[in-house]
């Protein structure tokens, strides 16, 4: 039995408050497009923002799962859980999608392809994901010919913590925990995720394969 779930995802709802008299307006903000905070409407390239907290009902646990809901991204996984996950954008190769974590480049410089593997990147400590589609090589170099994915971690002066665990079929067991907080001078967060899964063999027993 296979269950299929679909739903609407809010990908343009990062909030910034600007005060006009006694009124407060909610404006979408994007920091990836020009390396400084800017209104999404002022960024020339096509952009999307995925708010993790606003999409908790979808049950996604990894960044790769969240990216599948963002228009214009092709997320390809090789094999089952733990298999290599690559993201393609605007017809470019996966190595031409620049991946940033709080502005720090994650693409592997030791790999000939320089592509980033999303297989084991959890959403637990992520606040939002910003995506800029189209070439951004002027700002970020040749690795951004297809576009940029900037993963922004959770932060805030108000302290908080989350602990969760879940279990499922094929020996799957997940434990997650994160804390965050700060002051006027600093802000930070710390998160840990562990996931175990037995999976299932891709080699059919009918052909004499007996491994787990």
């Amino acid at each position: 039995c296979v269950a299929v779930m679909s739903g609407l995802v809010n990908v343009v709802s990062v909030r910034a408050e600007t005060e006009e008299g006694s009124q407060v307006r909610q404006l979408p903000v994007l920091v990836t497009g020009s390396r400084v905070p800017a209104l999404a409407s002022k960024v020339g390239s096509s952009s999307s923002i995925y708010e993790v907290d606003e999409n908790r009902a979808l049950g996604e646990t990894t960044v790769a799962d969240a990216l599948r809901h963002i228009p214009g991204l092709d997320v390809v996984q090789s094999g089952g859980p733990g298999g290599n996950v690559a993201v393609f954008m605007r017809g470019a190769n996966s190595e031409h999608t620049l991946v940033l974590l709080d502005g720090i480049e994650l693409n592997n410089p030791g790999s000939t392809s320089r592509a980033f593997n999303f297989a084991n990147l959890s959403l637990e400590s992520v606040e939002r994901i910003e995506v800029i589609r189209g070439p951004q090589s002027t700002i970020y170099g040749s690795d951004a010919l297809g576009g940029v994915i900037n993963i922004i971690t959770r932060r805030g002066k108000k302290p908080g913590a989350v602990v969760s665990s879940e279990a499922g079929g094929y020996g799957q067991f997940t434990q997650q925990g994160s804390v965050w907080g700060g002051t006027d001078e600093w802000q930070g967060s710390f998160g840990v995720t562990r996931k175990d899964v037995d999976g299932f063999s891709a080699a059919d027993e009918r052909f004499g394969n007996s491994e787990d």
Side-chain angles (χ1 to χ4, degrees), residues 9-15 27-31 38-40 47-52 54-55 70-71 127-133 152:
V9 182
N10 185 348
V11 295
V12 289
S13 59
V14 170
R15 295 185 295 273
L27 299 176
V29 173
L30 193 71
V31 301
L39 297 181
S47 62
S48 296
I49 302 173
Y50 182 99
E51 270 275 25
V52 174
E54 294 186 4
N55 294 291
I70 298 179
E127 181 176 282
R128 73 181 189 268
I129 303 172
E130 299 176 347
V131 176
I132 299 288
R133 291 178 287 274
I152 299 175

Side-chain angles (χ1 to χ4, degrees), residues 17-203:
E17 297 182 351
T18 61
E19 190 169 347
E20 294 182 350
S22 60
Q23 296 182 348
V24 176
R25 292 189 299 138
Q26 303 294 326
L27 299 176
V29 173
L30 193 71
V31 301
T32 308
S34 58
R35 292 195 175 187
V36 294
L39 297 181
S41 60
K42 301 299 182 181
V43 177
S45 301
S46 174
S47 62
S48 296
I49 302 173
Y50 182 99
E51 270 275 25
V52 174
D53 287 342
E54 294 186 4
N55 294 291
R56 289 288 184 186
L58 294 174
E60 310 296 16
T61 59
T62 67
V63 171
D65 292 336
L67 293 177
R68 298 181 194 276
H69 296 285
I70 298 179
L73 301 186
D74 188 8
V75 182
V76 179
Q77 181 167 348
S78 301
N84 185 76
V85 179
V87 175
F88 299 83
M89 195 183 308
R90 289 291 176 94
N93 294 329
S94 59
E95 60 263 32
H96 293 148
T97 298
L98 179 65
V99 183
L100 306 173
L101 180 66
D102 292 330
I104 300 173
E105 184 174 340
L106 294 183
N107 292 54
N108 185 4
S111 170
T112 55
S113 69
R114 292 186 59 83
F116 177 70
N117 179 13
F118 286 88
N120 301 307
L121 188 57
S122 170
L123 274 178
E124 184 60 32
S125 295
V126 176
E127 181 176 282
R128 73 181 189 268
I129 303 172
E130 299 176 347
V131 176
I132 299 288
R133 291 178 287 274
Q136 304 296 316
S137 53
T138 302
I139 302 175
Y140 293 102
S142 60
D143 287 342
L145 289 175
V148 179
I149 298 173
N150 189 17
I151 302 162
I152 299 175
T153 56
R154 190 183 303 277
R155 64 194 67 188
K157 290 186 289 185
K158 184 178 180 180
V162 173
V163 177
S164 65
S165 63
E166 61 182 21
Y170 300 105
Q172 180 171 297
F173 187 71
T174 304
Q175 296 172 305
Q176 296 177 324
S178 60
V179 295
W180 60 89
T183 65
D184 292 334
E185 289 74 30
W186 63 272
Q187 297 179 12
S189 64
F190 177 78
V192 176
T193 299
R194 177 187 174 94
K195 183 172 184 177
D196 297 282
V197 58
D198 291 340
F200 54 89
S201 177

